[in-house]
Amino acid sequence: QVQLVESGGGLVQPGGSLRLSCVVSGSIVRINTMGWYRQAPGKERELVADITTGSSTKYADSVKGRFTISRNDAKNTVYLQMNSLKPEDTAVYYCYADLVVRGRLYGMDYWGKGTLVTVSS
């Protein structure tokens, strides 16, 4: 019933920009924190950025000053604006949301299927 649909991934040149979007749908009672993780081959999944209902944000040190996370609650959407992209940003990016759904009392984490970002010339 709950879906997280990502878009915006693809191939981009070093120094370029890309914007990822993730739309949440379903029988949602409340959306809490939303964010983005990424995973490169042979490496652990790492938190890229997240954003709370109060719009407090957190970023990995490697992306501070280059990436910006935002949310549009009217559209149930979280965004990741990625500027000054580097080859080391290449990874599968996953969106997630802590959601309270109909029939549940507490929030649970839900995940998108992932979208590949490749930074290469």
Side-chain angles (χ1 to χ4, degrees), residues 61-81:
D61 288 341
S62 59
V63 307
K64 286 181 179 176
R66 300 189 296 121
F67 291 9
T68 303
I69 189 169
S70 61
R71 62 192 286 166
N72 186 330
D73 289 333
K75 297 182 177 181
N76 289 350
T77 302
V78 61
Y79 305 95
L80 186 68
Q81 179 66 46

Side-chain angles (χ1 to χ4, degrees), residues 8-12 18 20 82 85 89-93 115-119:
L11 175 64
V12 65
L18 210 59
L20 305 183
M82 310 165 70
L85 283 161
D89 295 318
T90 297
V92 177
Y93 285 71
T115 185
L116 178 63
V117 172
T118 302
V119 184

Side-chain angles (χ1 to χ4, degrees), residues 2-4 8-9 19 32 35-37 40 43 57 68 81 95 97 101 106 108-109 111 113-114 118-119 121:
V2 173
Q3 289 190 79
L4 281 69
R19 189 178 79 156
N32 298 314
W36 297 88
Y37 278 74
K43 295 188 176 182
T57 58
T68 303
Q81 179 66 46
C95 68
V101 301
Y106 307 104
M108 296 174 56
D109 285 345
W111 294 84
K113 62 184 179 182
T118 302
V119 184
S121 59

